[in-house]
Amino acid sequence: MTCDGAEYHPRSMDTPIASILMVEDNLGDALLLKEYLAECRFACTIRHCRLLGEALTALAAKSFQVVLLDLILPDSKGLATFNSVHQRAPGVPIVILSGFSDEELASQAVKLGAQDYLPKNDITGLQLARTIRYAMERKKAEQVLHQAKEAAEAANKAKDRFIASLSHELRTPLTPVLTQVQILERDPTLSTEVREAMTMIRRNIELEARLIDDLLDTTRVASGKMELRPQVVDVHSLIRSSVEICRADIDRKGLRLELDLSAAVPAICADPDRLQQVFWNLLTNAVKFTPAGGVVSFATCNPTPGRVAVTVSDSGIGIEADLLPRIFEPFEQGGRGMTRKFGGLGLGLSITRSIVNLHEGLLTVHSDGEGTGSRFRVELKTVAQEVIAPSSGRIPRQAAAARLRILLVEDHDNTAKVMTLLLTGYGHEVTHARTVADAVARVAERVPELLISDIGLPDGSGLDLMRRLRSEHPELRGIVISGYGGAEDIDDSRRAGFSRHLTKPFNDRALQEAIERVTAADGTIARAAEPRT
């Protein structure tokens, strides 16, 4: 308002008209500013207030496009004046009007979010009009950028939710198929040809699951959500476990495997599951790109004190020189011919590099070109070799031989059927429940020694079920089986009281090892010890 409460409208032929709130207690300065804008024919309406309280009331009652603000008012002084206006109307650009004594305050206000400031003793109409126009344009640009950022973040979250849901829907039907195939694969009554066919089916199901995992890991890396759970582990133990997992593929191609684990200090602080994923990725790549009868090798050494190096070499097809700089980029496979010949998505090496980087390590590659093989080297920091956790390897026989009363809670009938068959084959006594209510009733009849439960159930959550059962039976151990396997999902399982989180589809070895570890260890939540398949 002006001194008499009216709005002021400088004459102008320009459009559009800017709505300005002028907060200035000096009537002479206020009149001069209005005249400046009128002289340069700046299209605007001006609401003049002498007090901060009046200005806040005006901002609450009407929308303005810019505020011209004196920081020294009868009812407010300094940055408190700016903060009050900025908090009341955070989306409105503010131009500070400063005198000789308050230019430092004006500068501080700009740092806090004001668009600009003008010294009242040295100002022209064109300068004032230009400053107001630029302030509105900058604020509008900021708002557009903010809206675009929010839209991008929302789209990214929606994408993450979609990929997680898609992976869950893809994983769930694979679980009973993989489990049934593994049962048939070991059935001595079937012919050798049929069992070999089952092995082929299993390998392709595991490959499909691996592709799903790679897509999920790529989104985790891109969003910075891949988390590590470090502990002291033995690099040699992780290598041997990776070799054991790949042994069948190595033997099938007739490859010669060479191991030279010479590092005197193999202890590192790392996430054992993720680092084993690194070694498994490198080894499977070596096997994949090495022709039948070739050589793949693992070697370790301590190149310098405090460092351990792991080298994976092969006598395979090699890497062309122009591809080497791009080899760790997502989806890079060396052209369509390579993709068609060897398959895959080209994500494994990208994920491998990201995991090594998260461990503050170094991953390098060397090849002399096509047909000369390749050599990948991972270098990590070592730690004192005092207590090394059993990151992988076999469980003591007495733990592995234990036979348990297991309550299986799974509403997917096919999965429940084959898992019951598998667990019974291990010698366990299995009771099946489809819902939370059914599971609670079964526990009331007889307390199990182990709970294996899906998370999504028709009448509730497996997490809520575990919390309820643990409140009544604190000694109860549990394993989650779920199509969701992100870091947040694993953390949710841990907080609910589960000791292990298996992501579908899992093979029988992962399930058996999880059972053995849960019944032998202290119940700390973890992922499956082998790379996810």
Side-chain angles (χ1 to χ4, degrees):
M1 65 183 69
T2 61
C3 55
D4 60 359
E7 288 190 352
Y8 181 76
H9 302 261
R11 296 180 60 190
S12 171
M13 300 299 292
D14 299 330
T15 58
I17 297 177
S19 177
I20 299 173
L21 174 63
M22 181 187 297
V23 188
E24 170 61 68
D25 65 317
N26 187 306
L27 297 180
D29 287 344
L31 182 60
L32 189 61
L33 292 170
K34 294 173 184 176
E35 290 178 353
Y36 283 155
L37 292 174
E39 287 174 1
C40 67
R41 303 181 66 79
F42 183 75
C44 64
T45 63
I46 300 175
R47 180 77 175 272
H48 176 215
C49 297
R50 294 184 63 250
L51 302 175
L52 174 64
E54 294 175 351
L56 297 179
T57 300
L59 287 168
K62 180 180 177 180
S63 296
F64 294 91
Q65 292 174 282
V66 68
V67 175
L68 301 177
L69 179 64
D70 187 356
L71 294 177
I72 309 300
L73 301 172
D75 59 343
S76 181
K77 301 272 189 285
L79 293 178
T81 305
F82 167 76
N83 289 333
S84 296
V85 174
H86 189 51
Q87 291 170 8
R88 177 59 60 89
V92 180
I94 299 174
V95 176
I96 304 298
L97 304 173
S98 66
F100 282 116
S101 60
D102 54 1
E103 283 197 31
E104 179 61 31
L105 281 176
S107 177
Q108 293 179 36
V110 170
K111 294 178 181 178
L112 293 175
Q115 288 296 316
D116 207 341
Y117 76 93
L118 291 171
K120 289 187 286 185
N121 61 301
D122 184 19
I123 191 172
T124 66
L126 287 176
Q127 183 184 22
L128 177 60
R130 188 183 303 115
T131 300
I132 293 173
R133 186 178 294 111
Y134 287 172
M136 292 190 297
E137 290 174 353
R138 284 197 299 269
K139 193 66 176 182
K140 183 177 180 179
E142 288 177 4
Q143 292 171 341
V144 170
L145 286 174
H146 180 71
Q147 292 169 357
K149 180 182 177 182
E150 287 186 334
E153 290 175 348
N156 195 48
K157 290 179 180 178
K159 177 200 69 177
D160 289 346
R161 287 194 299 268
F162 170 76
I163 291 177
S165 298
L166 177 63
S167 71
H168 176 272
E169 295 305 316
L170 291 173
R171 292 174 191 274
T172 297
L174 290 178
T175 302
V177 179
L178 178 59
T179 305
Q180 185 66 68
V181 163
Q182 290 171 131
I183 293 172
L184 295 174
E185 196 176 3
R186 296 193 301 270
D187 189 342
T189 66
L190 298 178
S191 67
T192 301
E193 291 79 8
V194 171
R195 290 202 301 273
E196 288 177 351
M198 294 300 106
T199 300
M200 179 271 294
I201 294 171
R202 173 183 56 79
R203 284 200 302 267
N204 281 276
I205 294 172
E206 291 175 343
L207 176 60
E208 186 75 19
R210 184 70 221 169
L211 294 177
I212 296 170
D213 283 336
D214 283 349
L215 284 172
L216 285 174
D217 280 344
T218 299
T219 61
R220 292 184 190 117
V221 169
S223 60
K225 293 181 179 179
M226 180 175 281
E227 299 179 358
L228 301 181
R229 291 176 173 78
Q231 62 188 66
V232 179
V233 294
D234 186 339
V235 164
H236 292 164
S237 174
L238 296 177
I239 291 173
R240 292 188 184 97
S241 182
S242 298
V243 169
E244 181 183 345
I245 296 167
C246 296
R247 176 66 70 178
D249 292 329
I250 294 171
D251 294 342
R252 189 176 67 256
K253 292 188 72 172
L255 303 177
R256 186 172 83 250
L257 175 67
E258 297 178 349
L259 292 180
D260 179 16
L261 308 184
S262 302
V265 183
I268 60 173
C269 185
D271 183 320
D273 299 330
R274 285 299 183 186
L275 195 58
Q276 185 170 302
Q277 183 181 352
V278 166
F279 298 148
W280 184 85
N281 276 344
L282 295 177
L283 181 56
T284 53
N285 259 18
V287 172
K288 180 179 181 180
F289 294 110
T290 300
V295 180
V296 296
S297 66
F298 258 118
T300 67
C301 66
N302 296 115
T304 58
R307 307 288 292 183
V308 62
V310 179
T311 303
V312 182
S313 305
D314 64 70
S315 61
I317 64 174
I319 304 171
E320 296 179 2
D322 61 343
L323 178 59
L324 278 173
R326 311 191 310 272
I327 195 67
F328 296 117
E329 296 300 319
F331 307 106
E332 180 56 63
Q333 292 182 291
R336 295 178 64 185
M338 292 282 287
T339 303
R340 289 173 176 172
K341 184 175 181 180
F342 294 99
L345 296 176
L347 295 174
L349 288 179
S350 172
I351 295 166
T352 296
R353 181 182 61 174
S354 297
I355 295 173
V356 172
N357 289 344
L358 284 173
H359 284 88
E360 299 180 352
L362 178 66
L363 174 61
T364 56
V365 60
H366 174 80
S367 177
D368 291 326
E370 186 176 356
T372 63
S374 58
R375 183 171 70 251
F376 289 85
R377 177 182 167 109
V378 178
E379 193 169 317
L380 300 160
K381 290 186 287 188
T382 59
V383 296
Q385 192 166 349
E386 296 176 355
V387 179
I388 297 182
S391 57
S392 55
R394 299 294 87 190
I395 305 298
R397 287 184 178 273
Q398 60 271 26
R403 298 297 178 259
L404 305 169
R405 294 191 309 276
I406 296 177
L407 174 60
L408 173 64
V409 187
E410 170 62 72
D411 65 316
H412 191 268
D413 292 334
N414 291 333
T415 300
K417 181 178 179 180
V418 295
M419 282 197 64
T420 299
L421 186 61
L422 183 64
L423 292 168
T424 303
Y426 292 158
H428 301 301
E429 178 186 339
V430 181
T431 301
H432 173 228
R434 295 190 75 257
T435 65
V436 171
D438 190 14
V440 171
R442 298 281 186 173
V443 173
E445 296 171 0
R446 190 182 187 191
V447 179
E449 294 170 295
L450 178 66
L451 172 69
I452 299 179
S453 177
D454 195 359
I455 292 179
L457 299 170
D459 59 343
S461 165
L463 304 181
D464 293 334
L465 171 64
M466 187 59 171
R467 292 188 189 97
R468 177 173 177 177
L469 295 181
R470 288 269 291 185
S471 68
E472 300 170 358
H473 309 283
E475 74 287 350
L476 180 63
R477 298 287 178 84
I479 298 173
V480 164
I481 51 173
S482 173
Y484 296 100
E488 293 180 1
D489 303 307
I490 295 171
D491 287 339
D492 289 343
S493 300
R494 174 184 54 79
R495 286 190 290 268
F498 284 99
S499 302
R500 200 81 173 164
H501 187 113
L502 289 179
T503 304
K504 298 176 180 177
F506 43 84
N507 59 34
D508 59 340
R509 177 173 50 202
L511 176 61
Q512 190 168 14
E513 185 172 295
I515 293 172
E516 292 167 355
R517 289 190 179 280
V518 166
T519 54
D522 61 2
T524 301
I525 190 74
R527 292 182 289 268
E530 68 173 316
R532 293 151 297 157
T533 58

